Amino acid sequence: MEKKSFNPHVLFIPNTLQGHITPMVQFGKRLVSKGIKVTLVTTVYLSKSIHVDPECSIAIETISDGFDDTGSQDAGSIEACFTSFRINGSRTLAELIEKLADKGQPATAVVYDGLFPWVLDVAKQYGLFKAAFFNQTCAVNSIYYHVNRGLLKLPLTGSHISLPELPLLLPSETPLILYVYGKDLTPPDLVELVSNQYSNIDEADWLIFDIFYKMEEKIVDWMSKLWKVGTVGPTLPSMYLDKRLENDKDYSINLFEPKTSTCMSWLNDKPIGSVVYVAFGSIGSPVPEQMEELAWGLKGINCYFLWVMSDSMKTKLPNKFIEEISDQGLVVSWCSQLEVLAHKSIGCFVTHCGLHSVMEAVSFGVPMVGMPLFVDQQTNGKFMEDVWRSGIRVLPDETGIVGRQVFQKSIKEIMEGEKGIEIKKNVMKWKELAKEAVDEGGSSDKNINEFVAKLLSCS
Ligand code: UDP
């Protein structure tokens, strides 16, 4: 019997965090621009609150994580939340695949968050093409892979970790959950969660990474000996890079509403390169002692600063801090980080080294002061400082806190010092390389074209 062929239709299944949804949406837009139908699959609960640009070219469908009414914060723990998503998600994803087939829009492929290896098992049942998407670096993923295969034993011992094509890492420069394994209350289940990304990976048809080749060429080459690997980043709106996708100006699907006009009008009258932008991503929240040190550090250095913090973070600020800073600083609950980093007044970015924030800073040529908090950020911070040489990493003292003078010294060095000139030169080089990667004929562009060809050939 003749095999029936369909137009490619890819289901994207990201974790429900901003830093996971954004890169998939941006990668999805690139596929849509090449004629592929893309549907983003998120949870019933999240679908009720996300802000979707009406012009967004990606369709949305929902599955259940078992917390449709209350959200997964009710799960009690991260592990319980992932377990519930695996059980309910597997069932409802299968139902969705069947529903789409009945509607005459059958799914032909899945692009799933590496943290959801169960999607691969569902997709296999329906004969779909399976691509795992990772929004942590290849270095971090190589570490998880070695843990998964028992090639890197926990708890970590010795003064350094040595893995193929990675710089020597201090144990404290590996992802925090591995470093603290056996030392504190971090549940072993969390380690299992990240290492399990590799449990069935040999069955995936593609591994997609949200970085660009030049950032980690040796590690990408090493991984390519094991799997079909494609780097597709930076996954920023095209307008900020190659400008080939008309109307791709922002991230289109957001969990929070930005205070864009407040930020822009405040930044507009500040001198070029005079503002320190401070943000710790969508979930990072330093402890009160750390917030206090950073707050006094910024105030004392007498520079302008724009600081993103949620209402719960605000409660950790020193008394009357916001009233006292007057026009020196602006505090907002969320901003369009893209527009802020692209603004000429920004001279330095104090970041938690979340991969997306680092990629954005690099793509806009903004030097960083990195204060890693958790997950993969310790490793990103190491690379940001020593490999990409795009900023200065600030490290905590024996009490676990980065002191105010450390911030002041690093920010001054970036904004005024000799080292700052060198760092700015490097980061501008990365800015060019980032653009080159996604532009026509660049490494990410070629990988995306190859991926599209594969989707077409197996539909
Ligand atoms: N972001 C934003 N506005 C803010 C703070 C963050 O748009 O006020 C975006 C930022 O542009 C990035 C994402 O949130 O795309 C954070 O991702 P990252 O990987 O840096 O950190 P995570 O949230 O995953 O810890």
Side-chain angles (χ1 to χ4, degrees):
M1 202 169 69
E2 205 184 318
K3 186 177 177 267
K4 215 170 167 188
S5 79
F6 299 101
N7 291 330
H9 179 189
V10 193
L11 304 184
F12 275 41
I13 303 143
N15 194 3
T16 54
L17 297 171
Q18 186 74 59
H20 288 240
I21 294 172
T22 301
M24 277 212 199
V25 169
Q26 289 307 122
F27 175 54
K29 288 182 192 170
R30 297 265 171 193
L31 299 191
V32 171
S33 76
K34 294 170 193 291
I36 307 289
K37 181 171 170 60
V38 173
T39 297
L40 184 92
V41 180
T42 189
T43 61
V44 173
Y45 178 75
L46 197 73
S47 73
K48 295 178 204 165
S49 61
I50 48 173
H51 306 272
V52 183
D53 181 340
E55 310 258 297
C56 183
S57 53
I58 295 176
I60 307 234
E61 288 282 353
T62 57
I63 55 175
S64 176
D65 60 356
F67 298 96
D68 297 354
D69 297 325
T70 54
S72 58
Q73 64 269 19
D74 264 23
S77 70
I78 297 178
E79 303 76 58
C81 150
F82 272 83
T83 304
S84 177
F85 204 171
R86 177 171 50 73
I87 295 166
N88 292 286
S90 298
R91 177 178 51 80
T92 51
L93 177 61
E95 287 166 7
L96 174 64
I97 292 170
E98 286 170 20
K99 181 185 95 176
L100 291 169
D102 290 345
K103 273 172 62 181
Q105 299 169 353
T108 59
V110 289
V111 172
Y112 67 94
D113 200 304
L115 289 169
F116 298 154
W118 51 266
V119 174
L120 183 146
D121 299 325
V122 178
K124 213 165 67 172
Q125 289 168 33
Y126 291 92
L128 309 187
F129 182 83
K130 311 167 292 296
F133 189 101
F134 296 94
N135 47 24
Q136 297 190 343
T137 61
C138 288
V140 168
N141 276 287
S142 167
I143 297 171
Y144 293 154
Y145 163 74
H146 282 87
V147 171
N148 177 266
R149 302 294 152 107
L151 302 167
L152 180 62
K153 299 261 188 283
L154 299 179
L156 298 173
T157 51
S159 60
H160 285 90
I161 310 298
S162 169
L163 293 176
E165 305 301 350
L166 261 70
L168 282 184
L169 297 174
L170 297 170
S172 60
E173 291 168 340
T174 63
L176 191 66
I177 44 176
L178 306 186
Y179 174 56
V180 299
Y181 184 92
K183 292 194 184 108
D184 76 352
L185 299 173
T186 301
D189 294 5
L190 268 189
V191 173
E192 211 174 295
L193 198 72
V194 292
S195 110
N196 263 352
Q197 300 185 91
Y198 283 86
S199 57
N200 58 3
I201 203 70
D202 297 336
E203 295 181 75
D205 299 300
W206 264 64
L207 273 63
I208 302 171
F209 288 92
D210 177 26
I211 51 140
F212 57 96
Y213 178 68
K214 290 248 163 93
M215 290 174 80
E216 297 193 275
E217 34 192 334
K218 285 187 182 160
I219 314 172
V220 176
D221 289 345
W222 181 82
M223 286 192 144
S224 300
K225 291 181 196 149
L226 301 180
W227 308 288
K228 175 65 203 161
V229 168
T231 52
V232 298
T235 47
L236 265 66
S238 176
M239 197 200 90
Y240 292 111
L241 295 164
D242 57 318
K243 301 186 172 34
R244 290 186 298 152
L245 259 60
E246 256 179 54
N247 298 327
D248 184 24
K249 300 188 181 73
D250 53 41
Y251 284 145
S252 306
I253 299 184
N254 290 299
L255 270 52
F256 312 99
E257 246 183 316
K259 308 272 179 236
T260 308
S261 61
T262 313
C263 293
M264 289 304 127
S265 54
W266 189 83
L267 291 174
N268 280 343
D269 64 11
K270 302 291 177 284
I272 295 175
S274 67
V275 179
V276 179
Y277 171 58
V278 186
F280 301 116
S282 52
I283 45 174
S285 181
V287 297
E289 296 79 5
Q290 186 61 80
M291 289 287 284
E292 184 163 345
E293 286 305 305
L294 179 52
W296 293 134
L298 289 167
K299 184 160 190 300
I301 205 174
N302 213 15
C303 59
Y304 291 117
F305 63 90
L306 167 59
W307 191 346
V308 177
M309 64 179 91
S310 61
D311 289 343
S312 70
M313 273 169 86
K314 264 191 211 158
T315 63
K316 302 180 191 172
L317 281 174
N319 243 342
K320 298 221 164 77
F321 177 74
I322 294 186
E323 290 89 317
E324 277 184 33
I325 52 175
S326 143
D327 191 48
Q328 186 194 347
L330 176 68
V331 171
V332 293
S333 53
W334 191 254
C335 70
S336 163
Q337 184 160 298
L338 291 171
E339 288 185 55
V340 168
L341 287 174
H343 199 279
K344 60 185 185 340
S345 66
I346 301 296
C348 167
F349 178 16
V350 177
T351 169
H352 66 317
C353 297
L355 180 59
H356 235 65
S357 292
V358 173
M359 297 276 277
E360 288 164 359
V362 157
S363 301
F364 290 114
V366 178
M368 287 162 271
V369 167
M371 181 178 76
L373 296 175
F374 48 72
V375 209
D376 56 334
Q377 296 150 21
Q378 275 68 20
T379 316
N380 298 344
K382 158 80 179 172
F383 273 69
M384 183 276 285
E385 183 175 60
D386 288 350
V387 180
W388 305 320
R389 306 172 78 81
S390 299
I392 298 172
R393 191 171 34 151
V394 288
L395 296 173
D397 60 21
E398 60 289 347
T399 67
I401 301 296
V402 180
R404 63 191 75 175
Q405 287 90 359
V406 179
F407 283 116
Q408 292 178 338
K409 185 166 176 276
S410 312
I411 293 170
K412 272 192 173 160
E413 231 165 338
I414 294 240
M415 309 270 277
E416 301 161 10
E418 283 294 307
K419 200 166 171 185
I421 297 172
E422 193 55 39
I423 288 174
K424 181 76 187 173
K425 226 193 288 169
N426 282 334
V427 83
M428 291 308 284
K429 181 193 84 184
W430 284 108
K431 178 181 172 175
E432 283 310 307
L433 292 173
K435 183 166 171 286
E436 195 179 290
V438 291
D439 214 342
E440 199 168 352
S443 53
S444 297
D445 182 55
K446 280 190 195 151
N447 290 336
I448 293 168
N449 286 338
E450 194 188 336
F451 188 68
V452 167
K454 189 72 199 169
L455 291 173
L456 287 166
S457 74
C458 64
S459 294

